[in-house]
Amino acid sequence: MAADNFAFACSLLLPHTACGRALGPDGQVTAMRLWDREGSWADVADGTVRQAGPGRLWDEVEVLWAKVTGDCGRPPARSQYGMTVTPDGSSVWLDHPGRLL
């Protein structure tokens, strides 16, 4: 569930990325690849991260993890996120509109 909650956060806050996962026989994620349309990518497998391209996608994921997990060390539930949309744009927040992400 925590992986799904974090994937949801990534879809909101890193919308320029796509993700693919490899699953082991037990259904657990064994490897992951992120990529974007600018040609950046990151592979994660066996505790090792490799990334290349014009952007540092895994670095962005680590920053996002720290931002959304805070002191609890695990990603919040989907129901804790919100979005405010105005004629000038939109913003994503966590728990209340004052905590922008």
Side-chain angles (χ1 to χ4, degrees):
M1 182 60 96
D4 288 338
N5 286 341
F6 188 63
F8 179 71
C10 288
S11 73
L12 290 174
L13 299 163
L14 301 174
H16 62 284
T17 63
C19 176
R21 298 183 279 187
L23 302 178
D26 59 357
Q28 296 297 311
V29 175
T30 59
M32 182 176 12
R33 172 169 269 210
L34 299 169
W35 64 92
D36 68 17
R37 45 182 179 246
E38 284 80 36
S40 298
W41 57 268
D43 284 338
V44 183
D46 299 322
T48 302
V49 176
R50 294 177 33 231
Q51 59 183 334
R56 306 295 289 177
L57 292 180
W58 195 253
D59 295 351
E60 291 182 51
V61 168
E62 288 181 340
V63 168
L64 179 58
W65 176 267
K67 191 182 288 189
V68 300
T69 59
D71 295 331
C72 72
R74 61 175 211 241
R78 291 179 182 207
S79 61
Q80 291 178 259
Y81 292 92
M83 178 178 273
T84 301
V85 179
T86 68
D88 298 323
S90 61
S91 58
V92 176
W93 43 267
L94 185 58
D95 294 324
H96 56 83
R99 187 174 172 202
L100 294 177
L101 294 175

